[in-house]
Amino acid sequence: MSTRLRALSLALLLGSGAVSAWSQAASAPPNREQVERRVTSTGSLIGQSSAAKQVESSGNVDAIATRDRAKALHARAQASLAEGDVAAANRFADAAARTMMEAVRLAAPDQVNERKERGDFETRLKSTRSLLEAQQRIATEKGSGARNAELTQRIEAMLVEAQKLATSGHLPEGRRLLDQAYGASRAAIGGMRSGDTLVRSLNFANKEEEYAYEIDRNDTHRMLVQVLLQDRRNASNDAMVEKALQASLALRRQAEEQAARREFDVGVRTLEESTRELVRAIRSAGVFIPG
């Protein structure tokens, strides 16, 4: 991490912490001594801190203009304090700090966004690993562990590749692959449990809600086709795969027409048939998937 990014990260951390503390304090009558310290520390943040220097040197017109607004708010906080209006000084100091932190974010939006995206990546990676563990457990319970092994290996390989992409500076590409792995595992679990009483009695509020659920399941399986079949189609299986994909697409369109007429009950059944065709396409390519 660069010196500039470390400075900005620290400023964001300290600044956001200060703003949070001040917001909590705002619910109680402000103490003059506390507000004086607050006004002083805000002045240091705006005028003398490493964050202030980074905003100034960033050349970002919006960031600098925002910092100028923070300065103006801080001046009003000082004036209010001099006039004995402690409550107003507290409000202006709070607003000045928040405005300054916005200037910091504007000065380095790429770094801030990257940090958030990396955090989101790690969260999704953890969720996907947990989902994969659940997939393996359910497969074992249903006696399909051996057939589920190839799918599990493919998902694990996708996770490894996603991490490699993320650590080599290709975070967006890594996140897309990670989302595919998550969807693949989710689809596998849905396939294995599709006949269970638990899933078939999800207590949908109405048929329209159940239709939305089946749309999501169908979309997930379509994504799974792209993930698993990209290198498995060949002359020996392509005709069967294509036939199943076309059948699924026709059924999907039919279901959407039924939903447009608010025939959600029959639309649900049509979507289930469409999803079964997607499962058939995957199996025709030689990849086992429950469902």
Side-chain angles (χ1 to χ4, degrees), residues 130-136 138 142 148 151 184-194 199 290:
S130 297
L131 197 63
L132 186 58
E133 290 175 3
Q135 174 192 331
Q136 293 172 297
I138 293 170
K142 290 184 168 294
N148 185 65
L151 180 57
S185 186
R186 182 166 169 258
I189 291 175
M192 285 187 287
R193 298 177 62 190
S194 61
V199 172

Side-chain angles (χ1 to χ4, degrees), residues 219-281:
D219 285 342
T220 301
H221 278 75
R222 287 185 181 281
M223 182 279 300
L224 194 56
V225 167
Q226 297 176 355
V227 172
L228 296 179
L229 271 60
Q230 57 186 350
D231 60 347
R232 295 297 295 260
R233 297 178 67 169
N234 52 53
S236 63
N237 62 37
D238 193 67
M240 290 186 295
V241 171
E242 188 61 29
K243 180 180 178 181
L245 291 178
Q246 290 302 318
S248 174
L249 180 60
L251 288 164
R252 170 65 179 254
R253 289 172 177 168
Q254 182 180 337
E256 290 171 347
E257 292 171 359
Q258 291 163 343
R261 297 192 298 268
R262 304 197 65 79
E263 299 173 357
F264 295 112
D265 192 2
V266 65
V268 165
R269 294 194 295 272
T270 305
L271 277 173
E272 289 176 335
E273 292 178 24
S274 175
T275 301
R276 280 194 289 272
E277 289 293 341
L278 292 173
V279 172
R280 185 174 291 111

Side-chain angles (χ1 to χ4, degrees), residues 2-291:
S2 66
T3 301
R4 179 170 183 264
L5 181 53
R6 282 197 297 271
L8 286 169
S9 298
L10 180 60
L12 283 170
L13 179 61
L14 294 177
S16 59
V19 167
S20 176
W22 298 350
S23 296
Q24 293 171 5
S27 60
N31 175 281
R32 182 181 179 87
E33 183 179 349
Q34 291 176 330
V35 175
E36 287 177 346
R37 290 198 299 269
R38 190 166 300 152
V39 171
T40 298
S41 63
T42 303
S44 297
L45 175 66
I46 295 171
Q48 303 166 6
S49 67
S50 59
K53 295 175 183 177
Q54 294 295 347
V55 170
E56 194 67 36
S57 64
S58 70
N60 186 305
V61 176
D62 291 335
I64 294 172
T66 303
R67 183 196 176 198
D68 289 342
R69 291 200 300 274
K71 286 182 178 179
L73 287 166
H74 180 255
R76 296 186 69 178
Q78 290 177 310
S80 296
L81 196 58
E83 294 167 1
D85 192 341
V86 176
N90 188 52
R91 289 196 301 273
F92 285 127
D94 188 8
R98 292 180 184 276
T99 304
M100 182 58 188
M101 296 321 300
E102 178 59 25
V104 172
R105 293 186 181 92
L106 288 170
D110 292 342
Q111 292 92 331
V112 173
N113 289 338
E114 182 180 354
R115 188 168 61 253
K116 181 182 182 302
E117 290 170 0
R118 190 165 293 279
D120 291 344
F121 178 91
E122 293 299 330
T123 299
R124 174 50 68 96
L125 178 62
K126 183 177 180 180
S127 298
T128 306
R129 290 198 181 284
S130 297
L131 197 63
L132 186 58
E133 290 175 3
Q135 174 192 331
Q136 293 172 297
R137 183 176 64 254
I138 293 170
T140 300
E141 291 172 356
K142 290 184 168 294
S144 57
R147 292 184 297 167
N148 185 65
E150 181 179 1
L151 180 57
T152 299
Q153 291 171 0
R154 282 175 169 264
I155 295 173
E156 288 175 339
M158 291 166 70
L159 294 182
V160 171
E161 183 61 25
Q163 285 183 290
K164 287 181 179 179
L165 287 168
T167 55
S168 63
H170 299 87
L171 190 57
E173 293 85 346
R175 177 55 191 261
R176 282 195 292 271
L177 186 58
L178 181 57
D179 285 344
Q180 290 179 346
Y182 180 89
S185 186
R186 182 166 169 258
I189 291 175
M192 285 187 287
R193 298 177 62 190
S194 61
D196 289 357
T197 302
L198 178 63
V199 172
R200 302 319 304 164
S201 59
L202 283 174
N203 297 319
F204 296 108
N206 48 54
K207 282 297 178 180
E208 184 173 2
E209 185 177 297
E210 185 174 2
Y211 175 84
Y213 168 81
E214 290 298 338
I215 279 285
D216 180 68
R217 198 164 73 90
N218 191 264
D219 285 342
T220 301
H221 278 75
R222 287 185 181 281
M223 182 279 300
L224 194 56
V225 167
Q226 297 176 355
V227 172
L228 296 179
L229 271 60
Q230 57 186 350
D231 60 347
R232 295 297 295 260
R233 297 178 67 169
N234 52 53
S236 63
N237 62 37
D238 193 67
M240 290 186 295
V241 171
E242 188 61 29
K243 180 180 178 181
L245 291 178
Q246 290 302 318
S248 174
L249 180 60
L251 288 164
R252 170 65 179 254
R253 289 172 177 168
Q254 182 180 337
E256 290 171 347
E257 292 171 359
Q258 291 163 343
R261 297 192 298 268
R262 304 197 65 79
E263 299 173 357
F264 295 112
D265 192 2
V266 65
V268 165
R269 294 194 295 272
T270 305
L271 277 173
E272 289 176 335
E273 292 178 24
S274 175
T275 301
R276 280 194 289 272
E277 289 293 341
L278 292 173
V279 172
R280 185 174 291 111
I282 295 172
R283 289 178 173 176
S284 294
V287 180
F288 169 76
I289 175 176

